[in-house]
Amino acid sequence: VQLQASGGGLVQAGGSLRLSCAGSGRTFSSLAMGWIRQAPGKEREFVAAINRSGGSTYYADSMKGRFTVSRDNAKNTVYLQMNSLKPEDTAVYYCAADVVASSRLTWHYWGQGTQVTVSS
């Protein structure tokens, strides 16, 4: 499966962005999806994940209450709604796919990443 992330950009602190990740292929609905980010000079960090049906979601503690992951299997797309953004949320955000959703950093399929920059 191929993944294409989009929706990143520059936003002021306190603002919102919605990232999208479009998947190609017929297997999208059979895969769990995740979002992982990497800030300059830092290690990759788990952000959120959602299972195949969308019935279960997982979040890093620092994102709970601010970020929401969802999916539309009819559109082969997963979303990450990010609210109350902080400068420390600045990173490249990657979408990823695998058989099972969890808070791990190792996923089988990866998209190319989209840059999110939050100004103070």
Side-chain angles (χ1 to χ4, degrees), residues 2 10 33 35 38 43 47 71 73 79 83 88 90 111:
Q2 293 185 330
L10 174 64
M33 300 296 296
W35 289 95
Q38 187 166 23
E43 296 183 350
V47 175
R71 68 189 297 161
N73 285 340
Y79 304 98
N83 299 327
E88 52 263 42
T90 295

Side-chain angles (χ1 to χ4, degrees), residues 1-6 20-24 28 31-38 44 78 92-98 105 107-115:
V1 63
Q2 293 185 330
L3 304 173
Q4 181 77 31
S6 62
S20 299
C21 177
S24 63
F28 182 85
L31 294 171
M33 300 296 296
W35 289 95
I36 294 90
R37 72 185 185 185
Q38 187 166 23
R44 285 187 175 180
V78 63
V92 176
Y93 285 70
Y94 299 89
C95 60
D98 211 320
L105 295 177
W107 291 70
H108 190 72
Y109 302 101
W110 289 82
Q112 88 290 358
T114 185
Q115 175 71 47

Side-chain angles (χ1 to χ4, degrees), residues 23-104:
S24 63
R26 297 179 298 172
T27 60
F28 182 85
S29 61
S30 67
L31 294 171
M33 300 296 296
W35 289 95
I36 294 90
R37 72 185 185 185
Q38 187 166 23
K42 295 187 177 181
E43 296 183 350
R44 285 187 175 180
E45 178 184 23
F46 170 76
V47 175
I50 188 166
N51 72 345
R52 290 173 287 183
S53 68
S56 295
T57 55
Y58 309 81
Y59 298 95
D61 288 342
S62 60
M63 285 69 162
K64 288 179 181 177
R66 299 191 300 124
F67 292 7
T68 302
V69 61
S70 61
R71 68 189 297 161
D72 185 342
N73 285 340
K75 295 182 178 180
N76 281 7
T77 302
V78 63
Y79 304 98
L80 184 68
Q81 177 67 44
M82 305 186 295
N83 299 327
S84 302
L85 283 163
K86 306 174 182 180
E88 52 263 42
D89 293 318
T90 295
V92 176
Y93 285 70
Y94 299 89
C95 60
D98 211 320
V99 174
V100 177
S102 74
S103 59
R104 67 187 183 282

